[in-house]
Amino acid sequence: MIFDRKNLTNNQLIDFYSKLLWPRMIEEKMLILLRQGRIGKWFSGIGQEAIAIGSTLAMNNDEYILPMHRNLGVFTAREIPLSRLMAQWQGKASGFTKGRDRSFHFGTQEYKIIGMISHLGPQMALADGIALADVLSKRSRATLVFTGEGATSEGDFHEALNIAAVWNLPVIFLIENNGYGLSTPVSEQYKARHLVDKAIGYGMEGRRIDGNNLLEVYHTISELATSMRTKPRPVLVECMTFRMRGHEEASGTKYVPQYLFDFWKEKDPLINFEKYLVDEKILRPEWLPQMRAEFSTLIDSEIEKAFSEPDIIPNVETEVADMYKAHNFPTFQPSSTTTKKRYIDAISDGLRQSMIKFDNLVIMGQDIAEYGGAFKITQGFVEEFGKDRVRNTPICESGIVGAAMGLALNGYKAVMEMQFADFVTSGFNQVVNNLAKTHYRWAQEVDVVIRMPAGAGTGAGPFHSQSNEAWFTKTPGLKVVYPAFPDDAKGLLMAAIDDPNPVMYFEHKYLYRSNSGEVPEGDYYVEIGKAKIIQEGEGASIITFGLGVHWAMEYAAKHPDLSLEIIDLRSLQPWDKEAVEQSAKKTGRVLILHEDTLTNGFGGEIAAHIAEHCFKHLDAPVMRCASLDTAIPMNKALEDQFLAKARLEETMERLLNY
């Protein structure tokens, strides 16, 4: 192995060696602890340390790194105390996730590290968003994100590289090609001769280097990062290395031919760099055992410090409270001036007001810039706010949700428009596993709103008409709102953007141009989690939201003698249990009406809550009126039959006659 020191001093080279030795010795200790049964799992990076160490040392300390679970060297090179890391691995309260997640599944703004989730690929899009925030803020920084050769098969890899290339983002995508994805060799992972060859397909530069050569890694990443800080662009780097131990220790390595171990053992990054330093008389042989002894003593001390910490005492209130970032409803004085606006224009108004209020707010989505979006909600925004903040995106929902999260991690607010709520399936993992769980895991707010044009009534068929709010109401960490009127559409959107938590903002396409109402001018907020009484009554309660509110109002207008109370939930997560309970106790008869399918629709949760908390006040069973348990048909007659409205009259009769 040939090392090129270039302009590095002897002291720097010794420091590099020290930083390479430290994680190796920690890992050796972890394997002993594993055999002793003192820890339960370990993902080893032995033999790959040069990549993590060399690349981390090449980055500035204020630049983000997004590592994976074999990159202990990233964390140690950023000088995170071992006791803190050990507390994280052992699920102690002083760990970064307070016992809520394991391994390197955490982030830390203090050290500018954003850890992975188990799904491997999503962190690459986060790097895009982080880099975009730096570009928009005119900060001369690069972002480094790791992935493995196996994860390059995932769509997240393609989406993230494509976004970075299209937007000229200063992201170094580093592939650790260590030969195996668990037991699957690279010959079964991809057909390309080299993974770096994929770079040309995205119109970006690619480098293929020896990942076991510490100085080659350092100089390559340093050169690229230095260049990208002044000339932003993405680069793909393939680091060739080998995984000397199992995917994790329990899986073993029996599937790996012995000749590969023999070959790569000769390329051990620590042994080779040590030999180089000794041969060059930079490091004296007698120093080596002394360094190891000092490290060994320190490792034992730091580890025992973590082991000696008391176990976490579970507290229900703490766990529930930490799902969301605490947030106070904004203080504001609603304008006495109102203007009659359509539902769609109220949404546009709320977006515009928020863009004026928050100069760090970025809107992203397909066709939202010059074209103004599929429904023209952002028409004119480019002229008013510029293309930096009103961004057309490639067609890649997962990548853009991830980029929105990356923006939030780096000090921005983001609104992402799903062209149709149905398309959220393509970004589902980012929503339910990244956006939703991040604050609970490591107390990081994720200031992202996803706009969800939803619902039927326009004959758009199975893939443009779904009411899929229930997919998200059961996901802790997300907030879900669903306005039925223009003033609420503006107020809930502005509240969602003000809120530092991820919010799924459902807007009904049928209401866009069919519903109008008075909307306050200027800043206007509706508190998330508060229902609204549309009309009071004594005979029965209709609990509903979205288009269902209008169905209920239409039915009540036809039957004024029934004295119906209509509750518009407006928010589904959190939802106003108090308002619902009060109405149920008042009327004794409750119908829950929603556009979603009956089975597992959100109405089932409301019905269960009423049955549990209001049973003795009820004069009839809680009844649900929902759409058929089928996909949504396109034909008008079939769609009308599908929708809950077709069964509202009959269901109300059963409730009232019980």
Side-chain angles (χ1 to χ4, degrees):
M1 190 177 292
I2 299 173
F3 292 97
D4 183 358
R5 64 184 294 170
K6 294 188 178 178
N7 59 346
L8 294 172
T9 66
N10 285 358
N11 285 340
Q12 284 178 303
L13 292 172
I14 292 172
D15 181 61
F16 279 25
Y17 173 75
S18 175
K19 285 183 166 57
L20 192 62
L21 176 62
W22 177 238
R24 172 66 66 89
M25 290 190 65
I26 293 172
E27 288 228 39
E28 290 170 350
K29 180 67 174 183
M30 290 301 111
L31 297 179
I32 292 171
L33 293 174
L34 190 67
R35 288 193 292 272
Q36 292 173 342
R38 298 187 72 192
I39 63 173
K41 202 176 188 71
W42 186 254
F43 292 89
S44 176
I46 287 178
Q48 301 180 203
E49 299 97 335
I51 301 172
I53 296 297
S55 60
T56 301
L57 293 176
M59 303 295 290
N60 293 335
N61 285 336
D62 62 354
E63 294 177 318
Y64 283 91
I65 302 178
L66 295 88
M68 298 186 73
H69 55 290
R70 278 180 228 294
N71 299 132
L72 172 61
V74 171
F75 299 85
T76 58
R78 282 273 163 104
E79 299 188 352
I80 298 179
L82 176 56
S83 58
R84 187 89 192 272
L85 290 173
M86 194 67 193
Q88 167 65 24
W89 302 332
Q90 289 302 102
K92 301 289 187 175
S94 65
F96 291 92
T97 64
K98 296 190 286 189
R100 292 165 179 166
D101 209 342
R102 68 179 187 189
S103 187
F104 295 122
H105 295 192
F106 69 90
T108 162
Q109 291 288 4
E110 180 182 358
Y111 297 97
K112 291 292 181 283
I113 295 174
I114 308 299
M116 60 178 288
I117 64 173
S118 294
H119 299 67
L120 299 183
Q123 78 272 14
M124 288 182 279
L126 271 58
D128 286 345
I130 289 169
L132 176 59
D134 286 334
V135 169
L136 294 178
S137 299
K138 295 180 170 50
R139 295 186 288 253
S140 298
R141 296 177 184 166
T143 298
L144 172 66
V145 59
F146 286 72
T147 192
E149 83 289 334
T152 64
S153 299
E154 293 191 339
D156 286 297
F157 174 83
H158 163 78
E159 293 189 17
L161 267 67
N162 191 53
I163 292 166
V166 171
W167 288 353
N168 288 316
L169 300 176
V171 181
I172 300 170
F173 295 95
L174 190 155
I175 304 170
E176 288 184 291
N177 191 340
N178 65 17
Y180 283 85
L182 209 159
S183 70
T184 306
V186 293
S187 60
E188 297 176 26
Q189 290 280 5
Y190 55 86
K191 193 69 173 176
R193 183 183 177 193
H194 302 302
L195 285 172
V196 73
D197 294 340
K198 293 178 180 285
I200 194 171
Y202 303 104
M204 68 172 65
E205 179 184 349
R207 301 278 189 94
R208 186 170 185 263
I209 63 175
D210 181 355
N212 284 25
N213 186 320
L214 177 65
L215 298 189
E216 185 174 348
V217 173
Y218 171 79
H219 290 308
T220 300
I221 301 302
S222 181
E223 172 203 332
L224 292 173
T226 300
S227 172
M228 292 160 66
R229 289 172 194 134
T230 55
K231 184 184 177 183
R233 68 195 188 282
V235 179
L236 181 64
V237 179
E238 182 181 10
C239 293
M240 304 308 296
T241 185
F242 191 71
R243 198 184 71 213
M244 296 299 288
R245 303 196 67 86
H247 171 72
E248 39 78 35
E249 288 305 307
S251 64
T253 57
K254 291 183 179 179
Y255 48 84
V256 182
Q258 183 58 44
Y259 76 88
L260 288 176
F261 284 114
D262 296 338
F263 175 79
W264 284 96
K265 185 177 181 180
E266 297 300 315
K267 292 172 65 66
D268 184 291
L270 178 64
I271 294 172
N272 278 279
F273 191 56
E274 181 181 290
K275 183 177 184 302
Y276 163 72
L277 295 180
V278 171
D279 289 348
E280 294 293 313
K281 295 182 172 48
I282 298 169
L283 195 63
R284 294 180 183 177
E286 60 268 25
W287 293 351
L288 300 177
Q290 182 181 346
M291 291 179 69
R292 282 187 168 269
E294 289 175 355
F295 276 173
S296 181
T297 300
L298 182 57
I299 288 169
D300 288 343
S301 171
E302 289 285 285
I303 285 175
E304 292 307 318
K305 189 187 301 182
F307 273 125
S308 67
E309 288 187 25
D311 290 335
I312 289 173
I313 299 174
N315 181 281
V316 171
E317 290 76 17
T318 299
E319 293 302 291
V320 172
D322 283 356
M323 272 315 307
Y324 298 89
K325 169 82 171 178
H327 176 60
N328 295 321
F329 183 65
T331 301
F332 76 105
Q333 185 64 43
S335 173
S336 58
T337 303
T338 65
T339 304
K340 190 170 185 178
K341 284 184 168 68
R342 298 177 301 176
Y343 184 92
I344 191 170
D345 299 324
I347 295 170
S348 183
D349 188 19
L351 273 178
R352 180 174 282 103
Q353 284 297 125
S354 296
M355 289 287 279
I356 293 169
K357 181 173 182 178
F358 300 108
D359 59 8
N360 65 336
L361 175 60
V362 176
I363 304 175
M364 300 185 292
Q366 296 162 26
D367 307 300
I368 69 162
E370 290 84 355
Y371 187 72
F375 300 101
K376 303 301 181 183
I377 284 175
T378 52
Q379 194 162 39
F381 276 43
V382 164
E383 291 78 7
E384 191 170 352
F385 302 108
K387 290 206 70 170
D388 278 351
R389 296 181 63 200
V390 184
R391 306 185 72 88
N392 279 339
T393 71
I395 301 175
C396 52
E397 287 78 9
S398 181
I400 299 305
V401 175
M405 179 170 166
L407 278 167
L409 294 175
N410 202 6
Y412 274 71
K413 286 177 173 286
V415 173
M416 185 249 176
E417 177 186 299
M418 287 289 167
Q419 198 167 71
F420 291 87
D422 313 66
F423 299 167
V424 73
T425 50
S426 295
F428 198 73
N429 179 48
Q430 292 280 26
V431 175
V432 301
N433 284 319
N434 243 345
L435 296 187
K437 295 177 173 63
T438 294
H439 186 267
Y440 174 74
R441 289 168 51 238
W442 53 281
Q444 169 65 44
E445 61 189 61
V446 182
D447 207 336
V448 174
V449 175
I450 301 181
R451 288 184 42 234
M452 300 278 283
T458 58
F463 305 117
H464 295 78
S465 307
Q466 295 176 84
S467 296
N468 50 15
E469 65 276 355
W471 294 354
F472 305 102
T473 55
K474 76 166 301 298
T475 303
L478 299 175
K479 294 188 177 182
V480 181
V481 298
Y482 206 146
F485 299 97
D487 57 340
D488 287 339
K490 176 178 179 178
L492 282 171
L493 181 55
M494 291 200 69
I497 293 170
D498 186 78
D499 197 307
N501 296 285
V503 182
M504 308 300 289
Y505 177 88
F506 283 84
E507 51 198 58
H508 204 290
K509 304 191 303 295
Y510 183 79
L511 296 176
Y512 275 155
R513 293 173 174 83
S514 67
N515 183 248
S516 298
E518 294 295 324
V519 178
E521 294 294 312
D523 287 355
Y524 181 66
Y525 300 89
V526 171
E527 187 172 356
I528 294 174
K530 296 296 182 182
K532 179 168 65 176
I533 300 175
I534 301 299
Q535 69 176 49
E536 296 195 19
E538 304 286 341
S541 302
I542 301 178
I543 313 298
T544 186
F545 56 90
L547 188 56
V549 177
H550 299 277
W551 293 337
M553 291 171 61
E554 182 183 330
Y555 177 84
K558 290 180 181 178
H559 303 278
D561 55 311
L562 297 181
S563 184
L564 298 175
E565 182 152 291
I566 301 174
I567 305 293
D568 176 7
L569 288 176
R570 301 194 291 190
S571 297
L572 307 181
Q573 184 62 276
W575 60 282
D576 196 338
K577 297 179 176 67
E578 182 180 355
V580 169
E581 288 178 20
Q582 287 178 355
S583 186
K585 292 174 182 178
K586 174 183 175 183
T587 67
R589 296 176 189 269
V590 180
L591 181 139
I592 301 165
L593 171 66
H594 62 63
E595 185 179 341
D596 194 9
T597 54
L598 180 67
T599 301
N600 293 322
F602 187 63
E605 173 63 24
I606 303 170
H609 183 88
I610 295 171
E612 182 176 351
H613 296 277
C614 307
F615 182 75
K616 65 182 180 181
H617 300 278
L618 298 177
D619 299 319
V622 178
M623 294 190 185
R624 291 176 293 156
C625 181
S627 296
L628 296 178
D629 285 335
T630 71
I632 305 175
M634 178 275 296
N635 176 271
K636 180 68 166 64
L638 292 175
E639 185 184 58
D640 287 346
Q641 174 185 258
F642 164 84
L643 290 171
K645 183 181 179 183
R647 285 163 294 286
L648 179 55
E649 189 93 26
E650 180 269 332
T651 309
M652 280 300 303
E653 286 183 9
R654 282 195 292 114
L655 176 68
L656 295 170
N657 294 330
Y658 182 83

